[in-house]
Amino acid sequence: MKIAVCVSHVPDTETKVKIGSDGKTIDTSGVNYILNPYDEFAVEEALKIREKDGGEVVAVSLGEDANKETLRKALAMGIDKAVLLKDEHERDSYAVAKGIAEYLKSYEPDLIFVGKQSIDYDNLQVGGLIAEFLGLPSVSVAVKLEYADGKLKAEREIEGAHEHVEVTLPCVVAAQRGLNEPRYPSLKGIMQAKKKPIEEIEAAQAESRVKVLGMKKPPEKQPGKIVGEGVDAVPELVRLLREEAKVI
Amino acid sequence: MAKFQGVDYFDLDDVLEDDEILVRNTVREFVEDKVIPIIEKHNRESTFPKELIPIIGELGLIGSTLPEKYGCAGMNNVAYGLVMQELERGDSGIRSFASVQGALVMYPIYTFGTEEQREHWLPKLASGEKIGCFGLTEPDYGSNPSGMKTRAEKKGDRYILNGAKMWITNGTIADVAVVWAKLDGEIRGFLVEKGTKGFSAPEMKGKHSLRASVTSELVLEDCEIPEENLLPESGGLKSPLMCLNQARYGIAWGVLGAAMACYHTALDYSQTRIQFDKPIGSFQLIQEKLTHMVTEITKGQLLCWKLGRMKDAGTLKHTQVSMAKRNNCYHALEIARMSREILGANGILDEYPVMRHAANLESVKTYEGTHEIHTLIIGQDVTGIAAFT
């Protein structure tokens, strides 16, 4: 079994985002980058399948040199090899997916994992787009997987319920929190990762379809208002919710 | 409270290798997920979180500088130091466990042991399947271990050990003890296995410090061990002191973690605690404390980083380890106390980690060479005159 895991290099969840001077990108100074948390579930699932059924897992990341840090973490967790699809320019989800799909055409994996979303731009598109470019079935927000006899049974999170689906391989699976508990890279894994090469390939060109015009922070939160206490305050509260806040 | 993101006022990440940073971040995540949520309960109940041992072993945090062929990670000393730092951010007791097992049990077996002893013990100790302890200090011989009373006597193909050891981390839970005893007047190391007749390791109770760690006595009463349990390359006080030097190196890094936890807590508290209608962090007396804390942490980091690079290069002197251990313990304890002051009455509650760290650091300042002994080691080094014998 050949498994590809697409990993993305994103700002740490604790980052206090500042908008850059161009007003269109974030200010990256002082920002810590991490392996996208949803991609950690994807890496873990790929490793579990490999441990059970054998095969090879490759981690693929599209972006700058700095993405190697994230690829190293994936290697330290146990991934066999890593590929950096180099491009220093900002890409939208379409162009990222296109670049990755072009590479995957040559790698021909049986199974492709992505995190259900990257926590930087939260577009939730890359998994579906890769599947579309490669003409493969895709399963999004997967919380449980079972692989047997060339078929994959998956459980997906849907509004208020779980949906059970079955797909044939090759396919794309987008991992959701709950799919597994990602392992920590062990110190031995980290040492071994140092010896594993990261292959660098120029990413296939693709035009972004979405242009960012500007970024704005949400307005500062206004302090709340206390309209009174106890039952006596209810009529006034209702009036304000209706007339001022216009929410009821 | 805001998530801990490390303390790096001098951009020290710049001088760390990528894999060193990955090691540190991994252990940080492990401590955040698995240690911090359970540590106060263990501290309150005075129990050691044994459930963490398999994960600590699996992660490779025990004896991580030793070679891969013995199941260890073969990391450099800076990465090892960062492991100690992050573990002690959780608790000094957890760091002590890993420190003792790696520096005081695996290191002497590796350095003074036979190939059979290495192959038998090191992989099991690295994985946490077996636990070890180190017996040097005695009830009447702390700072002057050369006066030890524990004796070994050769009888046929066996050694008979008699004596008592005290303040032994991991003692009661250990499968093997590295015991130092005088054989014909010379200090030698012996491996004493749990269950050996004449050997017991009762736990010491009533500690106000290192409560989430096991501290024991070792009692040897006509304890008979096979002759192959001698560590053949050990000889003289220098041997146990070489072990202590390893452990002190880890402590110098470790206490920075405790200090960082206290600083982080105090900084966060000072920004959210309102008095006189403003955050207390806006007051000059609080700012002075925070400035002092972050400055001392930064100086300690620089000491440790250079210490680690010298250890890897093989140019490290034991007096330099003494300086880092002495300085960093002193300031970590000072930082813990200052942090308690900033938190006011809240500082004494175990809702915050500072009082636990402060209590732990009282021990850490004293064990593995007291603050005073390290003072005299450096004093002797710079003057050329020994103030003790």
Side-chain angles (χ1 to χ4, degrees):
Chain A
M1 171 96 89
K2 279 166 83 178
I3 307 173
V5 187
C6 308
V7 295
S8 129
H9 187 62
V10 299
D12 192 333
T13 46
E14 294 291 308
T15 311
K16 289 189 179 111
V17 174
K18 279 182 257 161
I19 296 169
S21 53
D22 63 357
K24 292 180 188 175
T25 52
I26 69 160
D27 179 358
T28 57
S29 58
V31 175
N32 274 333
Y33 281 80
I34 56 166
L35 167 60
N36 179 39
Y38 292 106
D39 298 347
E40 280 194 33
F41 302 118
V43 169
E44 177 63 33
E45 204 61 20
L47 292 174
K48 278 166 75 178
I49 293 176
R50 185 198 63 189
E51 279 156 12
K52 195 167 144 272
D53 297 315
E56 181 189 75
V57 187
V58 61
V60 185
S61 189
L62 189 147
E64 302 175 45
D65 249 12
N67 289 36
K68 282 187 195 165
E69 201 184 305
T70 274
L71 286 168
R72 285 255 175 256
K73 177 160 182 191
L75 289 171
M77 285 173 79
I79 296 274
D80 302 296
K81 59 179 206 171
V83 176
L84 173 65
L85 302 173
K86 286 177 79 163
D87 187 11
E88 282 171 13
H89 302 98
E90 283 277 330
R91 288 189 180 213
D92 70 352
S93 304
Y94 176 90
V96 168
K98 188 94 184 158
I100 293 174
E102 284 303 318
Y103 167 74
L104 292 176
K105 273 182 194 166
S106 62
Y107 183 70
E108 295 184 329
D110 303 297
L111 194 47
I112 300 160
F113 278 106
V114 295
K116 70 150 182 154
Q117 73 195 89
S118 287
I119 59 158
D120 48 5
Y121 294 106
D122 288 323
N123 284 317
L124 296 98
Q125 292 181 5
V126 171
L129 284 163
I130 291 174
E132 186 60 28
F133 290 137
L134 298 176
L136 299 177
S138 89
V139 179
S140 59
V141 281
V143 289
K144 198 174 168 192
L145 288 184
E146 251 175 74
Y147 169 70
D149 307 324
K151 279 185 184 160
L152 195 70
K153 285 184 181 164
E155 225 173 287
R156 299 181 57 247
E157 246 178 26
I158 57 172
E159 191 76 37
H162 279 191
E163 184 184 49
H164 295 251
V165 297
E166 190 180 279
V167 283
T168 51
L169 300 192
C171 69
V172 179
V173 177
Q176 162 70 318
R177 184 181 304 281
L179 180 61
N180 51 47
E181 194 184 337
R183 67 196 65 190
Y184 300 103
S186 72
L187 265 57
K188 271 187 256 175
I190 293 171
M191 289 303 284
Q192 278 157 13
K194 274 173 84 170
K195 296 174 199 153
K196 297 178 189 169
I198 295 177
E199 194 183 344
E200 294 180 37
I201 303 172
E202 286 301 320
Q205 287 304 314
E207 282 295 314
S208 290
R209 302 287 175 97
V210 177
K211 196 170 148 195
V212 178
L213 299 177
M215 285 185 179
K216 244 189 239 166
K217 284 205 149 192
E220 289 279 329
K221 217 171 145 187
Q222 298 301 314
K225 194 192 277 182
I226 295 168
V227 294
E229 273 182 30
V231 182
D232 295 346
V234 173
E236 177 62 1
L237 181 66
V238 170
R239 187 189 70 77
L240 288 170
L241 286 174
R242 183 170 288 144
E243 292 171 16
E244 219 169 84
K246 299 194 170 106
V247 290
I248 55 172
Chain B
M1 193 157 78
K3 190 176 154 196
F4 179 74
Q5 295 266 294
V7 178
D8 192 10
Y9 202 79
F10 258 55
D11 284 336
L12 274 162
D13 275 10
D14 266 4
V15 294
L16 296 178
E17 302 293 331
D18 283 352
D19 57 311
E20 292 164 352
I21 293 175
L22 185 52
V23 166
R24 182 197 62 200
N25 293 352
T26 300
V27 184
R28 183 173 292 169
E29 210 177 307
F30 158 70
V31 166
E32 199 72 44
D33 295 348
K34 307 282 186 207
V35 178
I36 290 174
I38 62 162
I39 198 63
E40 293 299 352
K41 184 171 176 285
H42 281 285
N43 192 65
R44 225 184 254 184
E45 293 166 5
S46 191
T47 48
F48 173 68
K50 273 176 105 167
E51 64 271 27
L52 295 177
I53 298 174
I55 323 174
I56 290 176
E58 202 176 304
L59 278 172
L61 309 186
I62 310 172
S64 35
T65 55
L66 295 177
E68 284 173 51
K69 69 181 270 210
Y70 301 115
C72 304
M75 305 251 31
N76 71 21
N77 281 289
V78 170
Y80 170 74
L82 291 165
V83 170
M84 295 296 123
Q85 172 189 301
E86 293 305 319
L87 287 179
E88 195 149 357
R89 187 176 76 84
D91 190 82
S92 303
I94 309 296
R95 198 270 305 139
S96 296
F97 167 81
S99 212
V100 165
Q101 181 110 337
L104 297 182
V105 181
M106 294 170 72
Y107 171 81
I109 293 174
Y110 175 71
T111 310
F112 310 121
T114 61
E115 193 52 39
E116 290 77 47
Q117 287 169 334
R118 292 177 180 180
E119 279 169 13
H120 179 72
W121 287 109
L122 296 181
K124 291 183 187 126
L125 289 163
S127 69
E129 183 193 332
K130 297 283 182 190
I131 298 170
C133 68
F134 175 91
L136 175 67
T137 299
E138 299 187 356
D140 296 327
Y141 296 90
S143 292
N144 59 338
S146 61
M148 71 168 63
K149 283 185 180 160
T150 303
R151 295 282 183 279
E153 211 185 317
K154 186 82 193 272
K155 190 176 144 195
D157 58 356
R158 313 192 61 82
Y159 289 105
I160 317 292
L161 270 55
N162 274 291
K165 300 290 178 181
M166 210 175 179
W167 306 113
I168 310 305
T169 300
N170 297 352
T172 311
I173 57 170
D175 300 289
V176 63
V178 173
V179 172
W180 299 92
K182 280 182 181 165
L183 176 69
D184 302 325
E186 191 191 23
I187 295 174
R188 305 295 297 272
F190 299 87
L191 299 177
V192 180
E193 290 190 49
K194 186 178 203 156
T196 305
K197 195 164 164 268
F199 174 61
S200 61
E203 188 170 355
M204 295 170 67
K205 296 285 186 188
K207 288 180 295 172
H208 281 301
S209 172
L210 293 179
R211 289 176 58 78
S213 168
V214 176
T215 311
S216 317
E217 293 175 55
L218 304 182
V219 182
L220 302 139
E221 285 173 320
D222 291 327
C223 170
E224 262 191 55
I225 56 165
E227 64 180 348
E228 57 267 26
N229 283 20
L230 169 74
L231 294 174
E233 302 301 320
S234 66
L237 185 61
K238 189 170 184 287
S239 301
L241 291 186
M242 280 166 71
C243 303
L244 290 180
N245 210 41
Q246 301 297 316
R248 289 164 182 171
Y249 171 82
I251 291 171
W253 280 93
V255 292
L256 288 175
M260 286 175 185
C262 293
Y263 169 68
H264 173 68
T265 307
L267 178 61
D268 189 85
Y269 189 87
S270 73
Q271 288 165 328
T272 51
R273 169 74 174 173
I274 309 291
Q275 290 289 281
F276 305 101
D277 300 323
K278 43 189 172 183
I280 60 168
S282 61
F283 296 113
Q284 292 181 357
L285 289 176
I286 301 289
Q287 289 192 1
E288 190 276 335
K289 283 187 169 63
L290 292 168
T291 301
H292 184 78
M293 290 157 92
V294 71
T295 307
E296 290 307 330
I297 289 171
T298 304
K299 284 150 78 176
Q301 285 176 303
L302 286 161
L303 273 184
C304 277
W305 167 70
K306 187 64 172 55
L307 200 67
R309 293 286 182 243
M310 289 193 290
K311 195 165 192 295
D312 282 329
T315 57
L316 184 66
K317 291 191 288 184
H318 75 277
T319 47
Q320 291 166 326
V321 178
S322 284
M323 183 180 281
K325 194 273 180 187
R326 176 184 181 276
N327 179 77
N328 289 6
C329 289
Y330 178 87
H331 286 293
L333 178 57
E334 179 190 50
I335 286 165
R337 289 173 180 162
M338 282 185 159
S339 171
R340 209 290 302 151
E341 287 163 11
I342 291 175
L343 267 69
N346 278 318
I348 71 161
L349 293 175
D350 67 8
E351 189 186 334
Y352 299 94
V354 298
M355 196 75 184
R356 175 170 51 81
H357 281 302
N360 285 342
L361 289 165
E362 291 284 354
S363 295
V364 181
K365 190 183 171 196
T366 291
Y367 71 22
E368 316 273 347
T370 63
H371 183 80
E372 292 72 18
I373 288 291
H374 287 299
T375 306
L376 299 182
I377 289 172
I378 300 164
Q380 177 186 9
D381 189 45
V382 296
T383 62
I385 310 164
F388 63 105
T389 50

